[in-house]
Amino acid sequence: MNLTPFRRPATLLLYLSRHFTTTTTTCSLKHPPPPPPPPFPTTINAMDLTSPPPEEPPSYIAAARSHGIPLRQSAPIKPGPLPLQLPILNHLRTKRVILASASPRRRAMLNQIGLTNLEVWPSNTPEDLDKKTHSPEEYVSATARAKCHAVYEAVLAAQAKPDATKEHLEDPAVVIAADTVIATRAGQILEKPKSEQDHVRMLTHLRDGRYHRVLTGICVMAPKADASHPGYEIRGHVEDTKVYFAREEDGLPDDVIESYVRTREGADKAGGYALQGVGGMVLVEKVEGSVDNVIGLPVRKCLQLCERVVFRQGEEVEGEEEDEEE
């Protein structure tokens, strides 16, 4: 291969002289270099930057880092579970559903399964049945039935008013009523405590009795599709759950009961305690039966009754209560 030899020094100088113009102070190219960049500004204009400077962390984060405390980054909020797709729930979601109870727990439980369109119509019917002549089961059943009847009639009366709104003119798809009491081992009926002293006595009695029963009467009504007498379908049920309190020697002495009473958590609840709250942790040892019944409403049975009065009108179901007028 014939390679061109390197140029000799004289020849190299001649080559450079043809391509560069030299002076005593500078050496300029035929194509002058680009001008130098402007000097870096002493102040930064945020509009000149493609992204804003990072913000300083809050003081508590900086303090935690300075003390070597590990910080967990917040995770993105996850979407909740998809709604239950049951025929009765899908039907009632677009209808007028009335809860004949002011209990926030019952409303929250029905909201949780997808019935967010509830109208709350508390019953004004006095709960004055004689507890001495009624068994606990008879008492909650009759009380829930009276509440359901009273609210159903109030809804119909509101429809007849001349100033009734468009929403009130719609017939209710169902009216749901419930009543909950505590039945001691001796058959005594306990409702909400009337005072702090009564509250302490009630919980002490439940502890010393070892276990008690939580009874909830449910009553559900719906207008009859064929408008036959008496114009509505009604079904009822009594749910029975056994609750065991802890023993005194197992961590439930009198001072624990008195401390719980001062929290006021169970002041507005039958039996004076909340299974879903602190009461479930410090008072209750175990539950036999429906847990949501103790909280306020046996939801599964409630949905079953709604199916009966809406989809299966006129059917006789063994073990379920039916209004004597039918």
Side-chain angles (χ1 to χ4, degrees):
M1 181 180 296
N2 184 15
L3 298 176
T4 304
F6 285 105
R7 300 175 186 271
R8 288 176 295 181
T11 307
L12 179 61
L13 291 175
L14 179 61
Y15 173 80
L16 293 175
S17 65
R18 292 176 179 177
H19 292 81
F20 295 92
T21 303
T22 61
T23 63
T24 57
T25 58
T26 61
C27 177
S28 62
L29 301 176
K30 287 185 176 181
H31 300 284
F40 192 78
T42 57
T43 59
I44 298 177
N45 185 355
M47 297 299 293
D48 297 333
L49 303 177
T50 57
S51 60
E55 297 181 357
E56 290 295 326
S59 58
Y60 60 85
I61 295 180
R65 287 173 176 166
S66 66
H67 288 81
I69 301 175
L71 297 175
R72 185 178 67 178
Q73 298 295 327
S74 298
I77 299 176
K78 296 181 179 180
L82 297 175
L84 282 171
Q85 298 297 328
L86 299 177
I88 186 61
L89 288 177
N90 294 339
H91 175 78
L92 294 180
R93 283 190 185 105
T94 60
K95 303 295 182 179
R96 191 180 180 195
V97 181
I98 295 177
L99 177 62
S101 172
S103 169
R105 292 167 297 281
R106 291 177 182 141
R107 182 175 187 177
M109 295 169 79
L110 292 174
N111 286 344
Q112 192 172 359
I113 62 172
L115 293 180
T116 57
N117 57 326
L118 293 174
E119 289 184 41
V120 176
W121 286 59
S123 170
N124 296 322
T125 303
E127 301 177 22
D128 54 359
L129 294 176
D130 189 353
K131 297 181 178 65
K132 295 180 180 179
T133 60
H134 290 78
S135 69
E137 292 85 355
E138 292 171 345
Y139 181 86
V140 293
S141 175
T143 302
R145 187 177 296 273
K147 290 180 179 180
C148 203
H149 272 287
V151 171
Y152 188 81
E153 292 173 1
V155 171
L156 297 182
Q159 289 179 323
K161 292 182 179 180
D163 59 345
T165 63
K166 181 179 179 181
E167 293 78 10
H168 287 170
L169 291 175
E170 180 185 355
D171 287 336
V174 292
V175 175
I176 302 170
D179 186 64
T180 301
V181 299
I182 301 295
T184 67
R185 293 181 66 177
Q188 181 183 0
I189 297 175
L190 304 179
E191 295 186 286
K192 300 174 184 178
K194 299 177 181 178
S195 64
E196 185 171 318
Q197 293 74 21
D198 183 47
H199 199 172
V200 172
R201 286 193 299 268
M202 185 179 292
L203 294 179
T204 303
H205 180 70
L206 294 179
R207 178 200 64 188
D208 297 341
R210 187 66 181 119
Y211 71 84
H212 57 274
R213 293 187 300 145
V214 179
L215 301 172
T216 298
I218 318 169
C219 188
V220 180
M221 296 178 66
K224 279 198 169 184
D226 59 3
S228 60
H229 180 79
Y232 55 81
E233 188 89 0
I234 185 168
R235 289 290 184 272
H237 171 75
V238 175
E239 190 74 15
D240 189 341
T241 303
K242 186 180 289 187
V243 179
Y244 288 79
F245 266 26
R247 295 184 177 91
E248 184 174 4
E249 60 270 20
D250 292 334
L252 191 54
D254 293 344
D255 60 337
V256 174
I257 290 179
E258 293 168 0
S259 178
Y260 177 74
V261 168
R262 287 193 292 270
T263 68
R264 307 294 296 164
E265 180 186 71
D268 62 339
K269 298 171 179 62
Y273 68 94
L275 180 67
Q276 72 276 21
V278 177
M281 294 183 282
V282 301
L283 303 177
V284 177
E285 180 180 288
K286 65 179 180 178
V287 176
E288 293 180 355
S290 170
V291 174
D292 53 352
N293 176 42
V294 186
I295 296 174
L297 184 70
V299 175
R300 185 172 55 252
K301 192 63 183 181
C302 180
L303 289 179
Q304 186 180 23
L305 294 179
C306 289
E307 286 182 336
R308 299 283 193 227
V309 300
V310 174
F311 295 150
R312 302 171 61 181
Q313 294 185 356
E315 291 187 14
E316 298 294 336
V317 180
E318 184 178 357
E320 286 187 359
E321 303 171 12
E322 190 173 358
D323 195 83
E324 61 274 4
E325 297 177 11
E326 296 185 341

